[in-house]
Amino acid sequence: MSLNPEQRAAVEHDGPVAVEAGAGTGKTHLMAHRYLWLVEHKGFSPLEIVAVTFTEKAARELRARVRRVLQGQVAPERVYEVEAAPIGTLHSLAARICQEYPEEAGVHPAFRILDEVESALWLSEHLDEALEEGVPPELQQLLPYSLLEEALLTLLRQPLEAEQAFRTLEQRLAGGQEALERAFHQGRARWAHQVRSLAEEMDGELRKMKSHHHPSQLVNLYHAVSMLLEAAAAAENDPQMARKHLEEIRFLKLPRAPEAREFLRDLKDKARRAALFLPEMGSGDLFLLKHRHLLAEAFQGVRNFLQRRKREDGVLNFADLEVHALRALDHPPVLEAYRARWRAFLVDEHQDTNPIQGEILERLFGEAPVAVVGDRKQAIYGFRYADHRVFTGFVEEVKTRPRGRAVRLEANYRTQAPLLEAVDRLAEGFLGPLHQPLQPTRPAWNSPEPCLWRLVFSGSLPSKDKERLREAEARRVAQEVRTLLEKGLPDGPLRPGEIAILARTWNTLEPFTRALEAEGIPAVSAGGGGPL
């Protein structure tokens, strides 16, 4: 596949470039060709190019793709260097920094990385001792142990952000009691603004739904949005009444129509969270403001104890890698050494980086040519506190640089035109301003039959017989799969391994597996036990 004009613009740009790439727009293809351009036209060795991806599997795929693209285009020794090139995840990059500069990073020279399970077990083994040593006695008397443990564990999950939060809070409250009350009222004003914004958002979404739903399907949606608008009207002057309206929304019955049902479920969740976070004097907000020094002391004491013990045991978890790598980069000689060694950067899936990872990358970038690829709409994982605003901020910052450039990829190479158009219509309804229409490049569906159809299952079975309805649904889907296998597709036969059935949870997937096996169709279940 050759480069399209947008891909070529990103690949050959001699300066920092931020690429907003929709699904199926050839991101890996772009990354591999950017890598080739850096070697062929900028004269960099693969050992000088850092390529960061989201998973180890993606890193292996990128390394293989780079190797193929370079073969026959550059000197053989450059191709051989790809095997030792720094292509990997952000955590592997952070681990490398900690291993090469353990003293500056403040880690054991021969540290071992704990996986998620090992990290949880290690923490449970040492937490009681850490709390006993690190928490001031005054705070132990003010808070029950369970609440104290929960609060400190929350702070420890993002230690650098917790430190920044304490510093910011202290700055805002430098004026004493008057500043404390002012901060409280500012919090109330922000809460009222959030409630009003939520009401406007959901009212707008409901207006869009009116055109393709019968009014009877939207009755409870009207009630919910009406209560939300009443909450918004009262939020500024009567926040308690506003919260009452928000809490009443949860009692509304969900409608049967799937889209309306999902809308009200989402609205209920947002209203519940809005009600939960109303700042109140005499609640946890006031406790935090009054006892912030004790909380900060407890957080730092517990954190110092755990860091000391980890150094003694020679272990780090994934979050520790980021914190200690950043600590190593605080030393100018370390940062200068890496900037001299690593002269160009490629970052994929940047929307899934967290603020600490974003800071590590920003420090390393310096004036090097950087290509960052991401898509805010695909920031679905929330993996280790990923925040798509890190990517958004980088895109906006690149636009202000003298040689910076932002590129959008919209040509989709994965999906046929009719299906992509249907997905676009659906996405426009719930993504709003984030929606980025994709342009199909694959040919249209070469068949008089539809490429997309909707099966609606309904019945009058009582709620206790929902399982029977689910089994009937699975049998019907299995029959459709059997028909597809027998008829094939316009471009050739179809194999069972080329068909996927997606379900929200493991339990709802099981009936489909049984129904397929009853039809003689081999099926393999994959996934976790929670929502997909």
Side-chain angles (χ1 to χ4, degrees):
M1 183 176 72
S2 60
L3 296 169
N4 66 35
E6 291 76 23
Q7 290 172 331
R8 187 171 299 280
V11 165
E12 299 179 356
H13 181 65
D14 194 3
V17 58
V19 182
E20 295 191 76
T25 54
K27 291 184 294 182
T28 306
H29 182 71
L30 181 151
M31 294 269 286
H33 279 270
R34 173 74 174 183
Y35 202 108
L36 171 63
W37 183 82
L38 290 168
V39 175
E40 193 173 25
H41 293 275
K42 299 292 289 183
F44 293 144
S45 158
L47 301 177
E48 298 174 312
I49 304 171
V50 175
V52 174
T53 62
F54 186 62
T55 65
E56 294 291 352
K57 179 181 178 182
R60 290 193 296 271
E61 180 186 345
L62 179 59
R63 192 183 298 273
R65 187 80 68 93
V66 166
R67 190 188 307 116
R68 289 197 299 271
V69 168
L70 262 59
Q71 284 175 345
Q73 301 295 319
V74 299
E77 57 268 24
R78 293 300 188 215
V79 181
Y80 302 149
E81 288 173 348
V82 171
E83 304 309 316
I87 301 175
T89 64
L90 268 164
H91 287 117
S92 67
L93 191 69
R96 183 170 186 164
I97 294 171
C98 291
Q99 288 163 349
E100 293 180 343
Y101 293 95
E103 183 176 346
E104 290 83 354
V107 300
H108 191 286
F111 69 84
R112 180 173 65 89
I113 301 172
L114 302 175
D115 63 26
E116 300 286 357
V117 174
E118 291 174 323
S119 179
L121 290 172
W122 186 94
L123 184 59
S124 65
E125 180 181 346
H126 298 287
L127 186 60
D128 286 345
E129 189 179 356
L131 292 173
E132 183 178 346
E133 180 174 312
V135 177
E138 305 95 310
L139 190 59
Q140 294 182 25
Q141 296 173 2
L142 290 169
L143 283 178
Y145 181 86
S146 59
L147 187 57
L148 184 60
E149 178 183 357
E150 182 181 356
L152 289 171
L153 283 175
T154 301
L155 293 170
L156 289 166
R157 289 188 187 106
Q158 294 179 283
L160 296 187
E161 290 196 1
E163 285 182 347
Q164 180 61 46
F166 278 119
R167 285 195 296 269
T168 302
L169 185 61
E170 201 56 46
Q171 290 167 4
R172 290 181 178 176
L173 300 182
Q177 182 64 27
E178 182 181 344
L180 187 152
E181 293 179 1
R182 184 168 60 250
F184 170 76
H185 290 297
Q186 288 172 346
R188 277 270 178 105
R190 285 193 297 271
W191 181 83
H193 175 72
Q194 290 167 356
V195 173
R196 289 194 298 272
S197 298
L198 175 60
E200 292 170 4
E201 174 194 347
M202 303 311 289
D203 185 44
E205 292 298 319
L206 181 57
R207 290 176 189 276
K208 293 178 184 177
M209 294 179 65
K210 289 180 182 179
S211 60
H212 51 281
H213 283 83
H214 191 275
S216 63
Q217 296 177 323
L218 305 179
V219 172
N220 278 359
L221 273 61
Y222 288 128
H223 289 164
V225 171
S226 176
M227 282 189 271
L228 189 55
L229 290 169
E230 290 178 16
E236 189 76 42
N237 299 317
D238 193 351
Q240 297 300 335
M241 179 58 69
R243 181 164 66 180
K244 180 181 177 183
H245 289 311
L246 292 170
E247 291 173 339
E248 287 174 350
I249 292 173
R250 66 190 175 95
F251 296 108
L252 291 172
K253 186 178 179 181
L254 294 172
R256 288 189 175 184
E259 188 179 2
R261 188 180 187 87
E262 191 62 32
F263 176 93
L264 185 52
R265 183 183 284 117
D266 181 48
L267 193 155
K268 282 186 173 187
D269 182 58
K270 289 177 177 177
R272 178 189 62 80
R273 281 184 281 143
L276 187 64
F277 290 112
L278 167 65
E280 289 187 281
M281 294 297 278
S283 68
D285 301 284
L286 183 60
F287 183 92
L288 172 62
L289 295 175
K290 283 187 173 180
H291 302 291
R292 61 191 182 279
H293 298 111
L294 288 175
L295 284 167
E297 183 183 344
F299 161 69
Q300 202 58 56
V302 171
R303 185 184 177 205
N304 289 343
F305 175 89
L306 294 174
Q307 285 183 325
R308 191 166 61 249
R309 182 53 61 87
K310 282 179 179 176
R311 185 176 176 85
E312 292 170 0
D313 292 353
V315 297
L316 296 174
N317 62 26
F318 290 117
D320 296 327
L321 287 174
E322 299 168 2
V323 172
H324 288 281
L326 198 57
R327 181 179 297 173
L329 295 176
D330 282 336
H331 295 264
V334 175
L335 186 57
E336 290 169 10
Y338 281 121
R339 285 184 176 177
R341 186 197 308 180
W342 294 334
R343 300 173 60 198
F345 292 84
L346 297 167
V347 183
D348 193 16
E349 306 291 3
H350 195 278
Q351 78 279 349
D352 288 316
T353 57
N354 63 41
I356 299 178
Q357 293 168 344
E359 179 65 22
I360 291 171
L361 291 172
E362 285 283 357
R363 299 249 189 117
L364 291 171
F365 287 165
E367 298 300 319
V370 175
V372 162
V373 183
D375 181 10
R376 284 170 289 176
K377 300 186 298 301
Q378 295 186 59
I380 59 174
Y381 298 105
F383 188 67
R384 296 197 181 99
Y385 312 101
D387 188 343
H388 67 85
R389 290 173 295 185
V390 177
F391 171 64
T392 304
F394 183 82
V395 173
E396 296 306 314
E397 195 266 334
V398 161
K399 292 177 182 178
T400 66
R401 295 188 188 181
R403 292 189 299 131
R405 182 168 186 176
V407 176
R408 298 187 73 173
L409 301 186
E410 297 181 342
N412 179 280
Y413 296 93
R414 184 181 299 163
T415 309
Q416 291 182 329
L419 183 57
L420 187 61
E421 290 164 4
V423 171
D424 260 340
R425 288 195 300 271
L426 179 66
E428 188 176 13
F430 62 81
L431 286 176
L434 280 179
H435 179 55
Q436 176 187 348
L438 298 176
Q439 305 303 318
T441 60
R442 295 185 64 182
W445 182 250
N446 186 25
S447 172
E449 298 183 12
C451 71
L452 177 68
W453 65 98
R454 181 182 180 187
L455 301 177
V456 179
F457 297 90
S458 61
S460 57
L461 291 171
S463 58
K464 65 180 180 180
D465 287 332
K466 281 184 179 179
E467 190 61 34
R468 288 172 54 195
L469 186 59
R470 189 174 294 167
E471 294 286 350
E473 177 188 12
R475 287 195 298 271
R476 174 62 193 281
V477 170
Q479 291 167 4
E480 293 290 341
V481 172
R482 165 59 62 194
T483 301
L484 276 172
L485 291 170
E486 292 173 350
K487 292 173 59 178
L489 296 176
D491 57 355
L494 190 64
R495 299 189 301 271
E498 297 173 314
I499 299 175
I501 296 175
L502 305 180
R504 284 187 60 80
T505 64
W506 185 268
N507 290 338
T508 54
L509 191 62
E510 288 181 348
F512 293 96
T513 304
R514 293 195 296 268
L516 289 168
E517 291 173 348
E519 290 284 339
I521 302 169
V524 177
S525 298
L532 294 175

PDB file of all heavy atoms in Angstrom, residues 241-255:
ATOM      1  N   MET A 241     -31.747  21.329  46.668  1.00  0.00           N
ATOM      2  CA  MET A 241     -32.888  20.984  45.837  1.00  0.00           C
ATOM      3  C   MET A 241     -32.413  20.395  44.512  1.00  0.00           C
ATOM      4  O   MET A 241     -32.998  19.439  43.992  1.00  0.00           O
ATOM      5  CB  MET A 241     -33.755  22.225  45.580  1.00  0.00           C
ATOM      6  CG  MET A 241     -34.967  21.960  44.686  1.00  0.00           C
ATOM      7  SD  MET A 241     -36.091  20.674  45.348  1.00  0.00           S
ATOM      8  CE  MET A 241     -36.741  21.562  46.781  1.00  0.00           C
ATOM      9  N   ALA A 242     -31.345  20.964  43.971  1.00  0.00           N
ATOM     10  CA  ALA A 242     -30.788  20.432  42.718  1.00  0.00           C
ATOM     11  C   ALA A 242     -30.364  18.985  42.909  1.00  0.00           C
ATOM     12  O   ALA A 242     -30.643  18.126  42.057  1.00  0.00           O
ATOM     13  CB  ALA A 242     -29.608  21.282  42.277  1.00  0.00           C
ATOM     14  N   ARG A 243     -29.701  18.702  44.026  1.00  0.00           N
ATOM     15  CA  ARG A 243     -29.273  17.321  44.266  1.00  0.00           C
ATOM     16  C   ARG A 243     -30.470  16.391  44.423  1.00  0.00           C
ATOM     17  O   ARG A 243     -30.445  15.247  43.955  1.00  0.00           O
ATOM     18  CB  ARG A 243     -28.376  17.243  45.499  1.00  0.00           C
ATOM     19  CG  ARG A 243     -27.891  15.818  45.749  1.00  0.00           C
ATOM     20  CD  ARG A 243     -26.729  15.748  46.688  1.00  0.00           C
ATOM     21  NE  ARG A 243     -27.078  16.174  48.034  1.00  0.00           N
ATOM     22  CZ  ARG A 243     -26.228  16.196  49.047  1.00  0.00           C
ATOM     23  NH1 ARG A 243     -24.969  15.865  48.829  1.00  0.00           N
ATOM     24  NH2 ARG A 243     -26.596  16.596  50.231  1.00  0.00           N
ATOM     25  N   LYS A 244     -31.533  16.887  45.045  1.00  0.00           N
ATOM     26  CA  LYS A 244     -32.737  16.073  45.211  1.00  0.00           C
ATOM     27  C   LYS A 244     -33.291  15.668  43.840  1.00  0.00           C
ATOM     28  O   LYS A 244     -33.664  14.511  43.619  1.00  0.00           O
ATOM     29  CB  LYS A 244     -33.791  16.847  46.003  1.00  0.00           C
ATOM     30  CG  LYS A 244     -35.079  16.075  46.215  1.00  0.00           C
ATOM     31  CD  LYS A 244     -36.092  16.905  46.992  1.00  0.00           C
ATOM     32  CE  LYS A 244     -37.405  16.134  47.139  1.00  0.00           C
ATOM     33  NZ  LYS A 244     -38.438  16.940  47.824  1.00  0.00           N
ATOM     34  N   HIS A 245     -33.348  16.625  42.899  1.00  0.00           N
ATOM     35  CA  HIS A 245     -33.828  16.308  41.553  1.00  0.00           C
ATOM     36  C   HIS A 245     -32.915  15.283  40.876  1.00  0.00           C
ATOM     37  O   HIS A 245     -33.396  14.366  40.196  1.00  0.00           O
ATOM     38  CB  HIS A 245     -33.887  17.582  40.705  1.00  0.00           C
ATOM     39  CG  HIS A 245     -34.971  18.533  41.102  1.00  0.00           C
ATOM     40  ND1 HIS A 245     -36.278  18.138  41.302  1.00  0.00           N
ATOM     41  CD2 HIS A 245     -34.943  19.875  41.319  1.00  0.00           C
ATOM     42  CE1 HIS A 245     -37.007  19.190  41.633  1.00  0.00           C
ATOM     43  NE2 HIS A 245     -36.219  20.258  41.652  1.00  0.00           N
ATOM     44  N   LEU A 246     -31.621  15.442  41.058  1.00  0.00           N
ATOM     45  CA  LEU A 246     -30.675  14.500  40.450  1.00  0.00           C
ATOM     46  C   LEU A 246     -30.860  13.090  41.001  1.00  0.00           C
ATOM     47  O   LEU A 246     -30.822  12.104  40.258  1.00  0.00           O
ATOM     48  CB  LEU A 246     -29.237  14.965  40.704  1.00  0.00           C
ATOM     49  CG  LEU A 246     -28.792  16.251  39.988  1.00  0.00           C
ATOM     50  CD1 LEU A 246     -27.442  16.704  40.528  1.00  0.00           C
ATOM     51  CD2 LEU A 246     -28.705  16.030  38.486  1.00  0.00           C
ATOM     52  N   GLU A 247     -31.067  12.987  42.303  1.00  0.00           N
ATOM     53  CA  GLU A 247     -31.227  11.678  42.925  1.00  0.00           C
ATOM     54  C   GLU A 247     -32.540  11.012  42.540  1.00  0.00           C
ATOM     55  O   GLU A 247     -32.632   9.779  42.496  1.00  0.00           O
ATOM     56  CB  GLU A 247     -31.121  11.807  44.443  1.00  0.00           C
ATOM     57  CG  GLU A 247     -29.707  12.170  44.915  1.00  0.00           C
ATOM     58  CD  GLU A 247     -29.637  12.457  46.394  1.00  0.00           C
ATOM     59  OE1 GLU A 247     -30.707  12.771  46.984  1.00  0.00           O
ATOM     60  OE2 GLU A 247     -28.523  12.400  46.965  1.00  0.00           O
ATOM     61  N   GLU A 248     -33.578  11.805  42.247  1.00  0.00           N
ATOM     62  CA  GLU A 248     -34.876  11.240  41.869  1.00  0.00           C
ATOM     63  C   GLU A 248     -34.834  10.566  40.499  1.00  0.00           C
ATOM     64  O   GLU A 248     -35.648   9.686  40.204  1.00  0.00           O
ATOM     65  CB  GLU A 248     -35.941  12.346  41.866  1.00  0.00           C
ATOM     66  CG  GLU A 248     -36.351  12.799  43.268  1.00  0.00           C
ATOM     67  CD  GLU A 248     -37.280  13.991  43.228  1.00  0.00           C
ATOM     68  OE1 GLU A 248     -37.445  14.575  42.133  1.00  0.00           O
ATOM     69  OE2 GLU A 248     -37.837  14.339  44.287  1.00  0.00           O
ATOM     70  N   ILE A 249     -33.886  10.957  39.666  1.00  0.00           N
ATOM     71  CA  ILE A 249     -33.801  10.391  38.317  1.00  0.00           C
ATOM     72  C   ILE A 249     -33.554   8.887  38.363  1.00  0.00           C
ATOM     73  O   ILE A 249     -34.024   8.143  37.499  1.00  0.00           O
ATOM     74  CB  ILE A 249     -32.692  11.113  37.515  1.00  0.00           C
ATOM     75  CG1 ILE A 249     -33.107  12.567  37.249  1.00  0.00           C
ATOM     76  CG2 ILE A 249     -32.394  10.402  36.204  1.00  0.00           C
ATOM     77  CD1 ILE A 249     -32.022  13.411  36.606  1.00  0.00           C
ATOM     78  N   ARG A 250     -32.853   8.428  39.390  1.00  0.00           N
ATOM     79  CA  ARG A 250     -32.504   6.999  39.437  1.00  0.00           C
ATOM     80  C   ARG A 250     -33.705   6.087  39.598  1.00  0.00           C
ATOM     81  O   ARG A 250     -33.615   4.884  39.339  1.00  0.00           O
ATOM     82  CB  ARG A 250     -31.508   6.738  40.564  1.00  0.00           C
ATOM     83  CG  ARG A 250     -32.030   6.966  41.965  1.00  0.00           C
ATOM     84  CD  ARG A 250     -30.885   6.907  42.964  1.00  0.00           C
ATOM     85  NE  ARG A 250     -31.293   7.232  44.314  1.00  0.00           N
ATOM     86  CZ  ARG A 250     -31.635   6.341  45.244  1.00  0.00           C
ATOM     87  NH1 ARG A 250     -31.582   5.049  44.958  1.00  0.00           N
ATOM     88  NH2 ARG A 250     -32.003   6.725  46.447  1.00  0.00           N
ATOM     89  N   PHE A 251     -34.871   6.641  40.014  1.00  0.00           N
ATOM     90  CA  PHE A 251     -36.055   5.804  40.221  1.00  0.00           C
ATOM     91  C   PHE A 251     -36.867   5.590  38.939  1.00  0.00           C
ATOM     92  O   PHE A 251     -37.823   4.817  38.933  1.00  0.00           O
ATOM     93  CB  PHE A 251     -36.956   6.420  41.300  1.00  0.00           C
ATOM     94  CG  PHE A 251     -36.312   6.468  42.657  1.00  0.00           C
ATOM     95  CD1 PHE A 251     -35.891   7.675  43.197  1.00  0.00           C
ATOM     96  CD2 PHE A 251     -36.096   5.309  43.390  1.00  0.00           C
ATOM     97  CE1 PHE A 251     -35.290   7.732  44.440  1.00  0.00           C
ATOM     98  CE2 PHE A 251     -35.494   5.354  44.629  1.00  0.00           C
ATOM     99  CZ  PHE A 251     -35.089   6.564  45.164  1.00  0.00           C
ATOM    100  N   LEU A 252     -36.519   6.279  37.871  1.00  0.00           N
ATOM    101  CA  LEU A 252     -37.271   6.132  36.616  1.00  0.00           C
ATOM    102  C   LEU A 252     -36.998   4.770  35.993  1.00  0.00           C
ATOM    103  O   LEU A 252     -35.869   4.275  35.997  1.00  0.00           O
ATOM    104  CB  LEU A 252     -36.878   7.242  35.641  1.00  0.00           C
ATOM    105  CG  LEU A 252     -37.323   8.658  36.030  1.00  0.00           C
ATOM    106  CD1 LEU A 252     -36.714   9.682  35.085  1.00  0.00           C
ATOM    107  CD2 LEU A 252     -38.841   8.769  36.026  1.00  0.00           C
ATOM    108  N   LYS A 253     -38.029   4.183  35.422  1.00  0.00           N
ATOM    109  CA  LYS A 253     -37.918   2.864  34.815  1.00  0.00           C
ATOM    110  C   LYS A 253     -37.267   2.961  33.438  1.00  0.00           C
ATOM    111  O   LYS A 253     -37.578   3.861  32.659  1.00  0.00           O
ATOM    112  CB  LYS A 253     -39.298   2.227  34.699  1.00  0.00           C
ATOM    113  CG  LYS A 253     -39.288   0.783  34.204  1.00  0.00           C
ATOM    114  CD  LYS A 253     -40.692   0.218  34.173  1.00  0.00           C
ATOM    115  CE  LYS A 253     -40.689  -1.212  33.661  1.00  0.00           C
ATOM    116  NZ  LYS A 253     -42.076  -1.764  33.600  1.00  0.00           N
ATOM    117  N   LEU A 254     -36.393   2.023  33.137  1.00  0.00           N
ATOM    118  CA  LEU A 254     -35.728   2.009  31.842  1.00  0.00           C
ATOM    119  C   LEU A 254     -36.701   1.573  30.750  1.00  0.00           C
ATOM    120  O   LEU A 254     -37.460   0.618  30.943  1.00  0.00           O
ATOM    121  CB  LEU A 254     -34.528   1.064  31.855  1.00  0.00           C
ATOM    122  CG  LEU A 254     -33.356   1.448  32.757  1.00  0.00           C
ATOM    123  CD1 LEU A 254     -32.331   0.320  32.801  1.00  0.00           C
ATOM    124  CD2 LEU A 254     -32.689   2.723  32.273  1.00  0.00           C
ATOM    125  N   PRO A 255     -36.701   2.233  29.589  1.00  0.00           N
ATOM    126  CA  PRO A 255     -37.585   1.828  28.486  1.00  0.00           C
ATOM    127  C   PRO A 255     -37.071   0.565  27.800  1.00  0.00           C
ATOM    128  O   PRO A 255     -35.947   0.118  28.040  1.00  0.00           O
ATOM    129  CB  PRO A 255     -37.532   3.028  27.538  1.00  0.00           C
ATOM    130  CG  PRO A 255     -36.214   3.659  27.811  1.00  0.00           C
ATOM    131  CD  PRO A 255     -35.927   3.429  29.265  1.00  0.00           C
TER     132      PRO A 255
END
